Amino acid sequence: MNEVLHLQSRAYPVHHDSPPLAMESFHVPGHGELRASAGELKTLVYNPDFTIELDLKEIVTRAITLPGTEIVGCYARILSAGSILVTYALRHEADLRRLDLPDLDALDAQVNHLLREADAPILAAVLAAAAASGLVQGLALRPDLAGSDEGSPVDRQSTRYNCHFVTKSPPWATDPRVPPLSPGPYCRVLLPYTYAWDRDSATPLHDLLTMLEPTDIATAQQSLLVGALLGGRRVLVDLARAGHPTTDVHAFRRFLDGVWSDYHHLDGYRIESTQGPRATYLAARESIGLDNTQERADKLLGYVGSSLLAAASQRTEALDTRLNRVASALAMVAAASFSLDVAVFLLPDVSLGPRIGVVSSLIGLTAAGMAAVFLPIRRVLRSPSRNGGARSVRAVPRQRAASLAARPALEPDESGRPGGPSPHP
């Protein structure tokens, strides 16, 4: 019986500006020392793309136990284009080759849920320690995450993952809902984000990670776009519900600049990789609908940009109105002061009573002018009943109720139930 190696690769969108050379090691509070090494995406043939690789197996296996499953390896690869790939290698006691594709997919989803819940604090601690040590520099999260109290640099909502089953002669057939695709060697697309690889499961893990690079790059791009969609939606919620939006426009713009920069950096994989991985990458893009996600992101973020521009114009208009009122008030105060100076100059020998009267009048005029500037003028709307015979607004519900009471019962709809919609407008 051929053994099956179960691989899960997660892509976390983390925008950063890290140096190409990795440090020797750094300390993770509560987990000890962690060694980092420099690597690269080995399927790129024209221009190398450096990575920072972390072996997390020892840290993970000390804290996580899965019944009936052995964690063979756990690697994190920090890409230079704003993504972190975390890959688990698992072996199960059960014979996965005997499972149907739906059962195999259900098992993968269950294992992924358990791992994500268990390793969330570990990955957050590792990334925070890497940022504190200088290994990862210039972290830029979504503005709503950066302003939260969680303090975790891991955006779990935007995370996407691939599922891989490595075995000789995979017995699972492609789901009929998947369009016909032509991936590269060894690969078979079973479902979106689910692949079978015709390789020996005893292949060294580093070679398998190289084999998975095309599908992982496509998933990393998807996670970047999902993060941008979530950020854009949060901005729209803020604009729709808040009288005074709290969204930092410049911070969100910088975040989107990082998103599109990293996305198109990874998008260069289609012209930088070799022929076999390129075919697998294009098949993975099509199966997960990456181009459709990019179109949705373009539309939503374009609408968000228009809304932010409109909100900024509204705030500018309100600020101009307040500044004009202040300027008008200052002009009135200056005019009153000038009038008082003129009165004192023209009436030097007037008794105290007239002087008090002049000063009181000027102060009253100034106060009245400032009140007229700052207090909104309440316009009394004429009653609808007096305006050209228009009906009263309050009378409409009563008239509507009377008309409904006078109408006959609605005819039954196609299902025979009364109250169905009328076939005619």
Side-chain angles (χ1 to χ4, degrees):
M1 180 184 66
N2 292 321
E3 294 184 353
V4 178
L5 185 64
H6 182 192
L7 298 172
Q8 290 185 348
S9 296
R10 285 184 241 156
Y12 290 91
V14 179
H15 307 284
H16 58 87
D17 182 18
S18 300
L21 298 179
M23 297 173 56
E24 290 296 328
S25 63
F26 60 95
H27 180 72
V28 181
H31 300 283
E33 294 291 324
L34 189 61
R35 184 181 179 83
S37 60
E40 64 179 15
L41 297 179
K42 298 180 181 179
T43 53
L44 297 179
V45 65
Y46 298 106
N47 294 300
D49 198 356
F50 296 101
T51 63
I52 300 174
E53 299 187 358
L54 305 172
D55 187 353
L56 305 179
K57 178 184 176 181
E58 184 177 353
I59 293 179
V60 167
T61 53
R62 286 202 303 259
I64 301 176
T65 302
L66 295 177
T69 302
E70 177 189 1
I71 300 178
V72 179
C74 181
Y75 280 89
R77 288 173 291 169
I78 303 175
L79 306 184
S80 60
S83 296
I84 297 180
L85 301 176
V86 178
T87 303
Y88 278 91
L90 310 168
R91 290 194 184 275
H92 300 272
E93 294 180 356
D95 186 4
L96 301 186
R97 296 177 61 91
R98 297 182 179 274
L99 298 179
D100 296 333
L101 184 57
D103 297 331
L104 194 68
D105 181 65
L107 173 65
D108 169 72
Q110 180 183 8
V111 172
N112 180 262
H113 176 72
L114 294 175
L115 286 176
R116 287 183 65 182
E117 293 297 325
D119 67 11
I122 300 175
L123 297 181
V126 169
L127 184 56
S133 65
L135 179 65
V136 177
Q137 300 177 2
L139 285 178
L141 300 178
R142 292 202 323 254
D144 58 301
L145 292 177
S148 64
D149 296 331
E150 296 180 0
S152 174
V154 176
D155 180 10
R156 295 182 59 191
Q157 286 185 317
S158 305
T159 303
R160 292 298 179 267
Y161 83 98
N162 280 333
C163 166
H164 309 273
F165 298 98
V166 181
T167 184
K168 295 295 292 183
S169 301
W172 310 285
T174 301
D175 190 277
R177 293 169 294 182
V178 177
L181 300 171
S182 299
Y186 312 115
C187 182
R188 180 187 305 169
V189 181
L190 301 180
L191 286 167
Y193 301 99
T194 305
Y195 309 92
W197 298 86
D198 188 5
R199 291 288 298 272
D200 188 355
S201 61
T203 303
L205 188 55
H206 280 285
D207 294 339
L208 295 179
L209 294 181
T210 299
M211 182 181 68
L212 305 183
E213 284 178 4
T215 57
D216 291 348
I217 293 299
T219 304
Q221 289 182 273
Q222 186 83 309
S223 67
L224 291 174
L225 295 180
V226 171
L229 288 170
L230 292 175
R233 189 180 67 184
R234 292 295 298 269
V235 172
L236 290 180
V237 170
D238 184 31
L239 292 174
R241 296 181 179 178
H244 301 282
T246 59
T247 300
D248 188 343
V249 177
H250 300 291
F252 187 68
R253 176 187 58 79
R254 290 191 296 270
F255 166 74
L256 291 184
D257 290 342
V259 167
W260 291 119
S261 173
D262 293 331
Y263 175 83
H264 289 290
H265 185 154
L266 295 174
D267 203 57
Y269 189 89
R270 70 175 78 200
I271 59 177
E272 301 286 352
S273 60
T274 55
Q275 293 293 339
R278 184 183 308 170
T280 303
Y281 168 76
L282 294 176
R285 284 180 62 99
E286 185 175 353
S287 65
I288 65 177
L290 184 59
D291 293 329
N292 181 41
T293 307
Q294 182 181 357
E295 294 178 2
R296 289 174 51 208
D298 284 333
K299 292 180 180 179
L300 177 63
L301 297 177
Y303 184 81
V304 170
S306 300
S307 298
L308 287 175
L309 182 61
S313 300
Q314 184 180 8
R315 289 194 295 267
T316 301
E317 182 180 355
L319 179 61
D320 290 341
T321 302
R322 290 194 294 269
L323 291 177
N324 290 335
R325 289 180 177 179
V326 172
S328 300
L330 293 177
M332 288 184 179
V333 173
S337 177
F338 178 74
S339 301
L340 183 59
D341 292 339
V342 170
V344 172
F345 176 76
L346 294 178
L347 304 173
D349 299 329
V350 177
S351 60
L352 181 61
R355 289 184 179 183
I356 294 177
V358 171
V359 173
S360 301
S361 300
L362 291 175
I363 293 176
L365 289 174
T366 302
M370 294 182 67
V373 170
F374 284 101
L375 296 179
I377 301 176
R378 302 179 60 184
R379 297 180 180 179
V380 180
L381 299 178
R382 287 183 295 178
S383 173
S385 60
R386 299 180 183 178
N387 188 7
R391 295 181 300 170
S392 173
V393 177
R394 296 184 178 179
V396 173
R398 292 194 294 270
Q399 295 176 4
R400 177 65 175 169
S403 64
L404 290 177
R407 289 176 58 184
L410 294 176
E411 299 178 357
D413 58 10
E414 296 180 355
S415 62
R417 293 176 296 179
S422 174
H424 303 286

